[in-house]
Amino acid sequence: MRTTRWRFIQRRLFVAGLAGICVLYGFTRPSLHAQDYPPDRARGKSVYERHCQKCHGPTGRGDGPAADSLKVPPANFQRFQSFLKSDEELLRTIEHGVVYSPMHSWRGQLTDGEMQDVVAYIRLLSQQAR
Ligand code: HEC
């Protein structure tokens, strides 16, 4: 009687141990998807300053030095219209550009990671305004 009970407990402990190992493995395993890495805002800032600031302005209001000479004014990231857009929408605009506007496609000039970082930086600019 005692021994069967002990066996039962042993089996339970074994199963619990296995489950524990699986859970720990799940938590510690590094994620391999590139998209899951958090965007790097510092890198986004340097991309922005190099490529975007001349039109979109230092705080994203669309008042960069080149803005006056453009037929279509650069987007003001601090307006609600931009603020409410999803990261995917902004990313798509950066990747493909806007037709008939000075906002050309950046695909080929920026890597996927740089585009994601610059979106994170634009988000920061639009949040700072609030
Ligand atoms: C030559 C000037 C110019 C440069 C340089 C430029 N943009 Fe633009 N951008 C524009 C203009 C103009 C628009 C607005 C187009 C429209 O509304 O039709 C725009 C629109 C956008 C939008 C869409 C905003 C919205 O609310 O839909 C995003 C996002 C954007 N730009 C990001 C960038 C990023 C990131 C860079 C740098 C990698 C950049 N732009 C460089 C002129 C520029």
Side-chain angles (χ1 to χ4, degrees):
M1 182 71 189
R2 262 191 105 108
T3 50
T4 49
R5 199 190 165 104
W6 176 234
R7 287 225 145 167
F8 177 73
I9 291 171
Q10 254 184 336
R11 211 177 306 142
R12 273 286 154 101
L13 282 176
F14 180 68
V15 170
L18 268 188
I21 289 167
C22 291
V23 168
L24 275 181
Y25 179 70
F27 276 127
T28 53
R29 197 168 51 107
S31 161
L32 294 174
H33 305 287
Q35 303 96 296
D36 288 348
Y37 287 120
D40 182 345
R41 280 181 177 166
R43 193 168 71 147
K45 184 173 195 272
S46 80
V47 170
Y48 185 87
E49 284 169 352
R50 201 156 4 113
H51 297 294
C52 325
Q53 188 162 307
K54 57 179 175 282
C55 288
H56 288 285
T59 58
R61 284 179 181 275
D63 56 357
D68 285 344
S69 61
L70 300 175
K71 284 206 190 98
V72 182
N76 175 351
F77 300 130
Q78 303 199 357
R79 275 187 319 177
F80 256 114
Q81 207 181 327
S82 294
F83 181 71
L84 293 178
K85 284 184 179 153
S86 67
D87 286 2
E88 283 69 33
E89 276 177 283
L90 299 181
L91 204 56
R92 223 179 303 134
T93 304
I94 297 166
E95 187 177 356
H96 301 295
V98 180
V99 279
Y100 304 122
S101 105
M103 177 67 193
H104 63 76
S105 151
W106 290 89
R107 158 85 45 240
Q109 286 184 58
L110 299 177
T111 64
D112 287 3
E114 284 171 331
M115 287 192 252
Q116 279 162 8
D117 294 343
V118 85
V119 166
Y121 185 66
I122 289 172
R123 276 272 174 256
L124 185 70
L125 289 178
S126 77
Q127 280 160 9
Q128 274 170 353
R130 261 140 257 283

